[in-house]
Amino acid sequence: QVQLVESGGGLVQAGGSLTLSCAASGINLSSHRMAWYRQAPGNQREFVASIMPGGNKFYSDSIQGRFTIARDNVKNTGYLHMSSLKPEDTAVYFCATGYSRLNYTYWGQGTRVTVSS
């Protein structure tokens, strides 16, 4: 059974930093595309960043240069390092993996990030 468990969310002031973690079990993250998405109140879920099995990384324009996606193959854990946070980054952040047929099969439960101005 595949499980993804996010952690690391919280309340932070604008300009601050947070690192989100996504601990995986039942699947080898290094063999699959992994992504972070977020959903702000009243908005649809949106893509944030992804990392390929080979290590290539992709970012949305809204967070480019401020967020970094990473993966620890030994710990089987993904990360999203967020810096220079803005109030508009406030959202529930989800990790996902198991990309197939233009969609991700496995999703975590989400971790809430609130950025105060």
Side-chain angles (χ1 to χ4, degrees):
Q1 182 180 355
V2 176
Q3 271 195 316
L4 301 176
V5 179
E6 300 100 331
S7 61
L11 174 64
V12 62
Q13 287 190 331
S17 300
L18 275 178
T19 293
L20 306 183
S21 300
C22 174
S25 59
I27 192 168
N28 186 349
L29 283 183
S30 65
S31 300
H32 296 270
R33 180 186 299 190
M34 192 202 82
W36 287 92
Y37 281 72
R38 67 185 182 185
Q39 187 167 17
N43 289 1
Q44 289 189 337
R45 191 173 298 187
E46 65 172 356
F47 170 79
V48 175
S50 63
I51 182 168
M52 302 297 118
N56 287 346
K57 303 174 183 180
F58 300 91
Y59 298 97
S60 71
D61 290 343
S62 64
I63 58 87
Q64 181 79 37
R66 299 189 296 121
F67 292 9
T68 302
I69 190 171
R71 184 180 63 221
D72 185 324
N73 295 337
V74 175
K75 295 182 178 180
N76 204 29
T77 298
Y79 300 96
L80 186 67
H81 304 292
M82 307 184 295
S83 62
S84 301
L85 283 161
K86 305 175 181 180
E88 51 263 44
D89 294 319
T90 294
V92 177
Y93 285 72
F94 301 87
C95 65
T97 192
Y99 189 78
S100 176
R101 299 177 183 176
L102 303 179
N103 207 347
Y104 288 93
T105 303
Y106 306 107
W107 292 82
Q109 82 289 348
T111 185
R112 186 175 301 276
V113 173
T114 303
V115 184
S116 63
S117 56

